[in-house]
Amino acid sequence: MEHQRCYIYEPPQIEERAPKRQRTSKYNPHAQLPERLQTCRRLWSQQEERIQAKADSTVQQNIVDFVSSAASATPDEPKFAIPTGLIIAGPSIASHGLFFGRLGQRIRDDTNSAYVVLTSGESPNLKSVLKNLIKKVTSLHEDDDDEDTDRPATSSRHGPKLLNYDLGRVQEWRKKSRVSSIVVAFQDSEAFDARLLADVVDLFHSWLDRLPLILLFGIATSAESFEDRLSGNSLRYLEGEKFDVTQSDDIIEKLFSATVASTDARLHIGPNLCRRMLDRQKDHVQNVQDFCDGLKYAYMSHFYASIPSIVLLDSTQPIEVQTEAYEAVRILPSFRQQIEDMLEDQQAAEVRDLLQSDDRLSDLISDSIKTNQHSLSTLSHAARVLSSVRASLQMSPNVRFSTIWTRAATGDMAGSPILRETMLSVKKIPSDRFVKLLVDMTGLQGDYLSVDLDTFQRELDTLVQRNDTATPLRTQHDVRNDSLRTTVVAQKVLLSKHKAALSEQDKAYSDLVGRFHDELDAYFESAFIDPQTLVLSEVSIYDLKSPHTEVFQPRPRFAIERALATPHDYLGCECCSGVDGAEAALNATKPATAIVYQMYLESGALLNVSDLWSAFNAIAGDGDEDGESKTMALFQRALAELKYLGLLKPSRKKTDHVSKTMWKGL
Amino acid sequence: MVGTKRRREDGDIEEGTPRKLRAHLAVEPTEDTDTSDAQTPSRRGRTQHLAENGTPRSILKKSGLINGVNGTTPRSNRKLLFETPTKSVKADTPNGTPTIVRNADRSARRKSNRRILERTLNGDESHEEVLEEEDELAEQILGEGEVAGLEAAAEEAQDAVPIPETPSKRGRGRPKGSGKAGRPKKERSPTPPTELPSHEEYFYQNRPGGTKTSNQTLSAQTLLNHDEYFQAMQSYEDTHAPEIAFLLELHSRAYDQWIFELEEGFNVCLYGYGSKRIVTEKFTHRLYTHLLARPPSKGSKKAPKIVVINGYAAGTTIKDVLTTIASACIPANIKMPNQLASLLDFILDHLTSNPPQHPIPVILNSIDSPYLRRNPIPTMLARLAAHPAINLVCTADTPSFPLLWDVGLKTQYKFLFHDATTFAPYDAEIDVVESVNELLGRSGRRIGGRDGVAFVLRSLPENARDLFHMLVKEQLALSSIDGGAEEDDTPATPRNKKVTQTKTIAPESNQGVEYRVLYHMATQQFVCQSEVAFRTLLKEFHDHQMIESRKDGMGTERLWVPFRQEELEGLAEDLENKAL
């Protein structure tokens, strides 16, 4: 089977029963795995709905509107230019394919149009563009798969057969299918040859009286540079409209607040993992799909690997939690901390209960999961409130919500400069801003915001109405109420700050703002807790970087180099470990490839295989003539493996030399 | 003897004389006359020389600098004008001998230095014995100074609190380049510096002229052929077998996890050193039993279909892949399109419209094999993998495989990567003997060397033999042209010639004879009349692997005989003599 190219797997015929794996310990890592996975899928599907809702729907709606209006506006009047949508999709080409896929789905669903995506890869010249276009358009509804259509068929019932790059085919097809328009999307317009684009535009324009074409160009740079690439003549045939797709940064931000920082999320993602994912987005991929995958994988890892995660299931359908889960809960650090705290409080009886009775523990679990849920949601909400306050006050620097949330989730938001600074600005807020702030905050009112905005709103309204001056009310902390007074006493200048006398209204306003400030401060104080201190935080929060990083950002080269340079790391054998943990560089017991690799590392850019062989023979050979062929076989295998891995390549500079192509650690 | 010395001193301006010193003092009358050390330029010259050489002495001076500045009397201010401060420092070093003694020492040393120099320069025979004695003395003095200097340096090093990093490495020994006087000049040591950071190592190993390798070659008998190799391998037992088995067992614990990941719509990619075929094989079996217990196959006779593709197998094409997948998911009675792109579309459409009850698992060994690298294969595979009804499990062997895919493809693949290092030999993936021969440019060994070629040629018609002869001659001529440029500046012995000629080369792509050229030659010499006939002749050679062809950078096809120079020459001789 191993040398066959492709086959359908068939299990070996005589299937000797593998000895049943017996678990020597009672601990079962897969306890209640199906239930946990079910929970995972349930929770993830909720998240997925939120993601779907947040995805770039508005722009797509705009484009769909544009397409339908272009299609319906003038059904059969002669048009002078092709309606063209310039879609500025941003530089992250990874998401373009998905975007155009979704867009096509919507266009097909919402309008009576045919939709075709052309990519630069499949369109080297005009002929293949047309062939592709025709194939895609016509096969949307029927599969007529004539081979060798390159040749004009001599005749058929309906007169001469058309060539397979003749747009006449589309025309014929349209007669049957009655679509109102044909949307042609060029996914990566930058990668198309400029002349090809010009040709396509010319040709399409000449067919415009027969085919209702609409063009969409995906643009990664800017509409201006797109225009520059086309000649004025071609541009005259186009009637463009520009659509800005939301940049992936903003989408990620939206998704982040909808998923990670959602108050409804049952499993929360920890700050470290979040920071990692966000950094990766910023630095490497810029890809919405990737972000979602990362999130999903975090959910999967949590439920797959952690037995106590079973308790996160909604209480609506009670599941019998097995004893394994309770045992697992009892060894959680946060649980132990809790027990120690209780012991210090002299609650020995309760501690005994918790340690012995599963029922008692079950109560504690459900209680703490509920409190955790509430506190974490409050935390997320407070982060959102803080972000919105900063936005309303137009404070700089502009800190993203994700950053605020991550800091809050790390537990170092309380007393941080960013919070203090924000609260100081709240103190100084003039009344016109205050009105706006309250309006902005009304949307955030709810279970997780304890400040009663309505009272403030009402009081503020009355104050503002009574204010007869044109200027807004100011608080006593406003800088404009401060004045500096200079006095000269005994030839020394004294600077002293003085509060200007406040009017009655200002005083009342100051009082109001003061109360608002205090309440908000108290709210933040109570909301920004350190999530790590919560009991059973390990269950409610997933914050492990270990499988996540390796799975999404593998370092295959490092892994291979490590395996070859220090095989002990993987094999864990006693023979190769060297002395005192220090790896012996050259050791006869190492795998042959590792020995050759070690010599490879030490040599220059060009290796003499003959010398390499004598060195190898000196190390790994057993000295006698008979063993030499075995050693040689190992040596040849090692060389072949290094070549296979791409570390060596033949060199023609000298006979029997090979050249080195990779340097370790670069 | 004294005379010679005087003469030299007079002649040598650099080496200051006492008179010179006086002159200097005259220039600077304010100078305190009892200056402990004579500020002769010669002294300075020597110290500078020493500093350059970097004997331990100079370390002493440098480290004592601060100390000295503090200790000097105000007059040092003045001195600074025309001497290096390091001078006075030495006089005041706490551990030093009293200055006068030291001075005497030093002048003695200077004299002896000079004497030795003189002797080596003039080689005055007449005063042999006297010189002998004096030289001994001189050397003794020098040696003493050296030792004292070393000791001082050692003490100093102990005193100085922050020891710079380098000395620890170098130890007490003399630094590089200082050993001129002592030992005979040695060749640069061939042992490379160890523990360099990786980028430094790259530049070190790639420094111009840095790679000096010996000219030894492997004798033809050393390398094993297939039979010998397999014979040797059969008797070989890996000492690490238990550890390798343990690694496999570790990986097998992750099978359930991988199945879960596949079910969640991800694809899995395994990487790491060692053949991962065993892992995928076992995993396939596990997956098979898993699917067997699932609804579509449960209770019925229908076996789940798992597609296995061995990407490393020579000549694997995307067409094979697609048809196998199609056979797994599309009923046999449906006619499928022939063209690749439409076949792919067809499969994907079919999977979308009739989704199978469970996604079809595709196990792909070596996704980065050379057969699957070329466009548009990765794109097509990515489209396949992106479909929800396909589960792709693949392995990648090379260390840099992620470079095969751009961001877009990567998104489509939706891979989760797992390290599956096995240390298992790549038995199926590599033809060891063949690839080593190729690595060493000896693929000609394949047909049994010169004798094999002779055997083949004997059974071919006359014109085929002529054509081969032509090719061999042309190739030899070409390589001698390449080598010729080098030979001009290195008049080499005949033995050496073969080696040097290879030095110049000549990008690899320029090896061999251009197809067109050979064809024209063949037609001119009436070996063949048409290109078709020419091709037929070449095909015979190709079949016996007597020639190889490749496209060079410009896209022109080149043919060559895969033998080494000596063998080629032998071949040409045989052909010339019509010995074949």
Side-chain angles (χ1 to χ4, degrees):
Chain A
M1 284 313 217
E2 63 192 45
H3 293 295
Q4 210 169 332
R5 289 180 201 150
C6 309
Y7 56 95
I8 305 280
Y9 180 75
E10 278 169 23
Q13 287 300 318
I14 317 125
E15 198 180 321
E16 77 267 30
R17 270 239 170 272
K20 256 223 155 80
R21 235 182 296 162
Q22 284 171 344
R23 302 205 175 274
T24 43
S25 67
K26 276 166 77 186
Y27 172 69
N28 175 13
H30 292 318
Q32 293 186 310
L33 184 62
E35 288 88 349
R36 275 187 275 143
L37 299 190
Q38 197 193 341
T39 319
C40 171
R41 285 177 190 137
R42 278 258 303 280
L43 293 189
W44 177 250
S45 64
Q46 293 169 6
Q47 291 284 36
E48 205 159 31
E49 274 168 30
R50 293 189 199 114
I51 292 173
Q52 293 293 332
K54 283 289 171 186
D56 38 20
S57 47
T58 42
V59 187
Q60 296 213 340
Q61 190 54 52
N62 288 345
I63 297 173
V64 170
D65 290 347
F66 162 75
V67 167
S68 54
S69 69
S72 60
T74 49
D76 282 315
E77 281 172 36
K79 280 184 270 189
F80 300 106
I82 316 172
T84 308
L86 305 180
I87 302 172
I88 317 290
S92 61
I93 51 161
S95 47
H96 288 193
L98 295 167
F99 177 82
F100 277 98
R102 282 197 301 263
L103 181 64
Q105 203 59 46
R106 287 194 64 163
I107 289 182
R108 264 179 239 140
D109 291 350
D110 297 359
T111 65
N112 179 24
S113 317
Y115 176 82
V116 187
V117 181
L118 295 176
T119 56
S120 59
E122 58 189 18
S123 319
N125 52 43
L126 186 59
K127 193 169 161 184
S128 52
V129 167
L130 293 176
K131 270 188 193 172
N132 270 322
L133 174 69
I134 291 163
K135 205 164 66 190
K136 285 182 179 177
V137 169
T138 49
S139 69
L140 286 178
H141 295 272
E142 58 189 284
D143 280 315
D144 56 340
D145 229 356
D146 291 310
E147 291 310 315
D148 53 19
T149 33
D150 239 346
R151 257 169 265 139
T154 41
S155 68
S156 79
R157 260 180 298 152
H158 312 290
K161 204 167 176 189
L162 292 167
L163 289 166
N164 64 352
Y165 47 90
D166 194 331
L167 282 178
R169 279 172 164 245
V170 180
Q171 197 183 3
E172 271 180 22
W173 168 81
R174 191 179 162 245
K175 272 181 206 151
K176 282 184 272 174
S177 65
R178 317 298 295 157
V179 293
S180 62
S181 64
I182 297 165
V183 182
V184 182
F186 296 82
Q187 186 180 315
D188 42 357
S189 66
E190 274 90 354
F192 280 85
D193 190 24
R195 273 199 316 221
L196 173 65
L197 276 185
D199 286 349
V200 169
V201 169
D202 279 355
L203 184 76
F204 282 4
H205 184 256
S206 64
W207 276 86
L208 200 57
D209 50 348
R210 285 155 288 177
L211 291 175
L213 287 160
I214 297 172
L215 300 184
L216 296 178
F217 289 100
I219 298 172
T221 50
S222 69
E224 286 76 21
S225 71
F226 174 76
E227 280 177 13
D228 285 347
R229 294 183 66 220
L230 289 180
S231 66
N233 199 23
S234 311
L235 285 177
R236 211 173 310 142
Y237 294 145
L238 299 176
E239 189 179 3
E241 188 166 335
K242 198 166 92 176
F243 300 95
D244 277 311
V245 176
T246 327
Q247 291 307 300
S248 66
D249 282 6
D250 300 331
I251 300 181
I252 293 287
E253 201 66 18
K254 269 191 203 160
L255 286 182
F256 183 86
S257 69
T259 53
V260 177
S262 158
T263 49
D264 301 330
R266 283 189 69 78
L267 172 63
H268 293 262
I269 306 296
N272 293 323
L273 192 57
C274 279
R275 198 171 296 134
R276 218 159 247 285
M277 276 163 56
L278 292 171
D279 284 352
R280 189 163 124 77
Q281 281 297 322
K282 205 169 63 196
D283 298 342
H284 299 290
V285 282
Q286 295 210 329
N287 183 346
V288 181
Q289 188 59 42
D290 193 85
F291 180 79
C292 298
D293 287 349
L295 209 57
K296 182 172 180 183
Y297 195 71
Y299 270 67
M300 285 162 57
S301 318
H302 186 66
F303 285 100
Y304 187 85
S306 156
I307 291 182
S309 60
I310 185 82
V311 300
L312 279 183
L313 193 62
D314 288 340
S315 46
T316 46
Q317 48 169 179
I319 272 193
E320 197 174 322
V321 179
Q322 287 174 3
T323 42
E324 276 100 341
Y326 290 121
E327 286 308 313
V329 167
R330 285 200 181 104
I331 55 169
L332 291 179
S334 68
F335 178 77
R336 294 181 163 196
Q337 186 61 43
Q338 167 80 357
I339 291 290
E340 272 172 29
D341 291 352
M342 283 168 79
L343 277 180
E344 269 174 28
D345 294 350
Q346 316 282 330
Q347 296 169 309
E350 273 181 54
V351 167
R352 184 166 297 130
D353 269 358
L354 279 180
L355 291 181
Q356 284 174 351
S357 148
D358 282 353
D359 292 343
R360 182 70 190 81
L361 182 61
S362 163
D363 293 346
L364 176 83
I365 291 174
S366 56
D367 284 354
S368 22
I369 293 293
K370 243 175 237 154
T371 35
N372 286 0
Q373 177 65 26
H374 186 79
S375 344
L376 290 173
S377 300
T378 315
L379 181 101
S380 298
H381 199 76
R384 190 161 299 157
V385 169
L386 180 59
S387 167
S388 108
V389 168
R390 284 183 71 89
S392 321
L393 294 178
Q394 293 171 349
M395 291 180 65
S396 68
N398 185 16
V399 184
R400 284 177 177 278
F401 168 65
S402 53
T403 321
I404 292 182
W405 186 89
T406 328
R407 290 192 62 179
T410 328
D412 58 2
M413 185 51 97
S416 68
I418 185 170
L419 183 61
R420 266 208 322 272
E421 184 195 21
T422 316
M423 293 317 290
L424 281 178
S425 328
V426 168
K427 250 185 195 172
K428 296 181 201 160
I429 194 168
S431 62
D432 50 347
R433 286 269 186 87
F434 195 32
V435 173
K436 192 169 158 288
L437 175 67
L438 286 178
V439 170
D440 287 349
M441 279 176 72
T442 42
L444 295 168
Q445 231 167 348
D447 293 347
Y448 302 111
L449 180 56
S450 55
V451 183
D452 184 11
L453 293 176
D454 289 341
T455 359
F456 285 111
Q457 186 80 51
R458 250 179 294 154
E459 287 184 35
L460 180 65
D461 283 348
T462 48
L463 275 179
V464 171
Q465 272 165 19
R466 272 191 284 158
N467 180 22
D468 37 10
T469 56
T471 53
L473 294 167
R474 296 187 188 284
T475 73
Q476 53 181 341
H477 301 286
D478 199 310
V479 267
R480 264 165 276 197
N481 283 335
D482 285 348
S483 57
L484 279 181
R485 187 181 295 174
T486 331
T487 34
V488 182
V489 179
Q491 295 185 327
K492 278 184 187 163
V493 179
L494 285 184
L495 281 177
S496 55
K497 263 188 190 174
H498 277 262
K499 296 278 173 214
L502 289 175
S503 66
E504 277 297 309
Q505 283 165 341
D506 278 357
K507 256 184 203 155
Y509 177 70
S510 298
D511 189 40
L512 180 72
V513 171
R515 270 187 292 130
F516 177 74
H517 170 265
D518 291 346
E519 270 195 46
L520 199 61
D521 204 26
Y523 166 68
F524 281 144
E525 191 78 18
S526 66
F528 286 135
I529 46 151
D530 184 0
Q532 302 300 324
T533 58
L534 294 172
V535 183
L536 299 192
S537 60
E538 293 91 343
V539 181
S540 302
I541 304 173
Y542 177 80
D543 197 15
L544 297 175
K545 76 168 213 250
S546 162
H548 206 265
T549 329
E550 286 97 56
V551 152
F552 285 104
Q553 293 156 284
R555 293 191 296 165
R557 183 164 165 186
F558 172 76
I560 289 180
E561 281 173 353
R562 183 175 172 194
L564 287 176
T566 55
H568 174 69
D569 288 3
Y570 280 96
L571 294 174
C573 53
E574 281 171 15
C575 46
C576 307
S577 59
V579 198
D580 303 335
E583 188 83 9
L586 284 171
N587 190 336
T589 59
K590 273 188 179 183
T593 314
I595 299 178
V596 178
Y597 182 70
Q598 193 60 44
M599 300 192 284
Y600 166 89
L601 287 184
E602 285 166 9
S603 73
L606 207 61
L607 290 88
N608 183 337
V609 176
S610 169
D611 291 349
L612 204 62
W613 155 239
S614 35
F616 180 81
N617 196 17
I619 292 171
D622 36 12
D624 56 341
E625 281 292 306
D626 303 337
E628 194 173 288
S629 70
K630 198 179 80 187
T631 320
M632 189 66 202
L634 287 179
F635 178 69
Q636 274 179 282
R637 192 171 79 183
L639 271 189
E641 283 187 4
L642 290 187
K643 177 175 180 261
Y644 184 65
L645 294 177
L647 300 171
L648 285 179
K649 67 171 190 189
S651 160
R652 294 187 185 276
K653 287 198 182 130
K654 275 173 122 179
T655 16
D656 279 345
H657 276 60
V658 287
S659 52
K660 188 169 170 177
T661 48
M662 271 188 216
W663 274 260
K664 191 185 169 222
L666 286 186
Chain B
M1 207 220 80
V2 177
T4 39
K5 190 182 160 200
R6 217 355 82 75
R7 232 186 301 125
R8 262 199 63 78
E9 275 173 3
D10 286 347
D12 198 352
I13 303 167
E14 300 290 300
E15 300 272 14
T17 61
R19 233 182 299 139
K20 209 58 181 163
L21 164 70
R22 242 168 274 130
H24 253 282
L25 290 173
V27 172
E28 197 85 89
T30 45
E31 176 76 55
D32 209 338
T33 36
D34 84 330
T35 27
S36 48
D37 20 356
Q39 309 301 328
T40 60
S42 81
R43 167 58 57 73
R44 192 192 292 179
R46 231 194 79 195
T47 53
Q48 270 169 3
H49 179 64
L50 280 171
E52 271 162 21
N53 275 352
T55 50
R57 196 167 263 288
S58 65
I59 295 173
L60 172 80
K61 266 183 274 158
K62 272 175 203 153
S63 50
L65 180 63
I66 301 156
N67 197 359
V69 169
N70 288 340
T72 43
T73 49
R75 87 192 127 97
S76 70
N77 259 355
R78 215 52 82 64
K79 266 205 249 166
L80 275 177
L81 285 177
F82 101 127
E83 87 164 333
T84 49
T86 48
K87 211 62 275 178
S88 61
V89 167
K90 195 178 297 150
D92 294 339
T93 35
N95 64 330
T97 42
T99 33
I100 297 174
V101 178
R102 196 157 242 238
N103 242 10
D105 259 7
R106 205 168 286 157
S107 65
R109 198 156 347 119
R110 195 170 58 211
K111 272 182 202 152
S112 26
N113 244 343
R114 199 177 301 149
R115 189 178 308 282
I116 289 176
L117 188 73
E118 219 164 85
R119 205 192 138 206
T120 46
L121 281 180
N122 305 353
D124 204 341
E125 312 274 334
S126 56
H127 310 290
E128 191 100 42
E129 302 94 30
V130 194
L131 273 175
E132 199 88 337
E133 250 178 50
E134 281 193 0
D135 273 346
E136 242 174 57
L137 182 68
E139 252 158 18
Q140 218 173 344
I141 292 167
L142 263 181
E144 246 170 51
E146 200 97 23
V147 171
L150 274 175
E151 271 167 15
E155 267 173 39
E156 200 64 34
Q158 274 166 7
D159 288 355
V161 187
I163 304 167
E165 281 130 341
T166 37
S168 70
K169 188 102 213 297
R170 210 173 266 164
R172 304 245 171 98
R174 54 178 87 230
K176 251 187 209 159
S178 67
K180 235 183 246 169
R183 51 190 94 144
K185 200 173 178 189
K186 237 175 95 182
E187 280 269 288
R188 205 190 321 204
S189 143
T191 42
T194 48
E195 318 256 324
L196 284 177
S198 35
H199 55 279
E200 289 294 351
E201 190 154 307
Y202 173 81
F203 288 116
Y204 178 78
Q205 293 182 350
N206 275 318
R207 67 199 191 282
T211 49
K212 289 217 173 59
T213 52
S214 74
N215 291 331
Q216 301 202 15
T217 51
L218 283 171
S219 71
Q221 281 76 40
T222 335
L223 287 178
L224 308 179
N225 61 25
H226 281 97
D227 293 342
E228 291 161 344
Y229 174 78
F230 284 115
Q231 204 179 353
M233 268 306 167
Q234 260 168 8
S235 63
Y236 172 71
E237 269 176 38
D238 198 340
T239 49
H240 287 286
E243 282 88 6
I244 291 176
F246 178 66
L247 265 183
L248 269 182
E249 145 73 11
L250 275 185
H251 294 314
S252 73
R253 289 185 203 166
Y255 291 166
D256 286 334
Q257 183 194 333
W258 297 347
I259 291 178
F260 172 52
E261 286 167 359
L262 289 179
E263 278 171 358
E264 288 301 313
F266 288 102
N267 295 312
V268 172
C269 179
L270 308 175
Y271 64 88
Y273 169 68
S275 170
K276 289 159 286 291
R277 208 165 33 84
I278 317 155
V279 177
T280 50
E281 208 170 286
K282 290 194 169 178
F283 175 69
T284 314
H285 186 71
R286 175 78 190 75
L287 190 62
Y288 185 82
T289 45
H290 173 82
L291 291 178
L292 211 53
R294 292 275 307 277
S297 326
K298 201 180 182 181
S300 70
K301 282 276 173 195
K302 228 171 107 189
K305 285 182 173 170
I306 301 178
V307 179
V308 182
I309 302 157
N310 288 329
Y312 54 80
T316 307
T317 58
I318 189 76
K319 177 112 187 167
D320 300 335
V321 177
L322 290 181
T323 40
T324 322
I325 291 174
S327 74
C329 62
I330 301 175
N333 52 6
I334 296 180
K335 185 179 164 277
M336 280 180 291
N338 266 334
Q339 274 182 327
L340 277 184
S342 38
L343 178 59
L344 178 63
D345 290 339
F346 183 75
I347 293 175
L348 293 181
D349 282 349
H350 184 88
L351 286 175
T352 319
S353 46
N354 323 306
Q357 270 173 306
H358 63 79
I360 294 166
V362 178
I363 315 286
L364 173 51
N365 287 313
S366 310
I367 196 173
D368 54 348
S369 94
Y371 311 105
L372 298 181
R373 271 184 215 171
R374 221 173 312 124
N375 244 343
I377 298 179
T379 330
M380 297 177 101
L381 282 178
R383 281 189 62 198
L384 262 181
H387 198 277
I390 298 267
N391 275 341
L392 180 67
V393 178
C394 71
T395 66
D397 295 321
T398 53
S400 47
F401 70 89
L403 302 178
L404 288 174
W405 309 313
D406 63 15
V407 201
L409 283 188
K410 230 178 234 170
T411 316
Q412 278 188 299
Y413 273 123
K414 214 175 167 188
F415 273 135
L416 297 179
F417 297 92
H418 294 288
D419 187 346
T421 302
T422 62
F423 276 89
Y426 294 92
D427 283 335
E429 287 91 335
I430 320 180
D431 181 348
V432 170
V433 177
E434 192 50 47
S435 70
V436 170
N437 280 339
E438 208 174 299
L439 195 59
L440 300 180
R442 300 183 181 207
S443 13
R445 275 169 55 98
R446 210 166 357 194
I447 61 160
R450 248 162 75 183
D451 300 340
V453 172
F455 186 76
V456 173
L457 283 185
R458 235 174 278 146
S459 61
L460 288 179
E462 181 73 24
N463 56 351
R465 237 171 291 167
D466 289 346
L467 178 62
F468 196 73
H469 190 192
M470 215 182 287
L471 180 56
V472 170
K473 266 196 301 189
E474 193 64 19
Q475 190 173 332
L476 276 173
L478 274 180
S479 61
S480 67
I481 291 172
D482 286 339
E486 180 73 10
E487 277 170 47
D488 291 344
D489 45 13
T490 49
T493 57
R495 163 102 185 82
N496 214 355
K497 191 158 64 180
K498 278 168 207 156
V499 188
T500 43
Q501 62 99 348
T502 47
K503 234 180 179 178
T504 9
I505 304 302
E508 273 162 38
S509 53
N510 288 349
Q511 292 274 325
V513 186
E514 237 178 86
Y515 176 86
R516 283 275 118 206
V517 172
L518 189 68
Y519 174 63
H520 281 301
M521 284 171 62
T523 43
Q524 274 164 17
Q525 303 195 12
F526 302 108
V527 170
C528 56
Q529 265 76 49
S530 68
E531 187 157 357
V532 182
F534 182 64
R535 281 252 168 229
T536 340
L537 289 175
L538 284 185
K539 184 165 184 308
E540 194 72 43
F541 298 150
H542 264 297
D543 289 348
H544 290 99
Q545 299 171 317
M546 287 157 57
I547 60 170
E548 286 179 8
S549 77
R550 83 154 70 126
K551 292 255 166 74
D552 70 1
M554 304 285 287
T556 42
E557 191 182 353
R558 285 178 176 276
L559 303 165
W560 86 92
V561 186
F563 283 102
R564 296 196 301 166
Q565 191 87 6
E566 304 91 66
E567 284 171 311
L568 270 185
E569 280 165 6
L571 259 182
E573 235 167 73
D574 289 353
L575 286 162
E576 201 73 51
N577 302 337
K578 303 278 178 190
L580 301 178

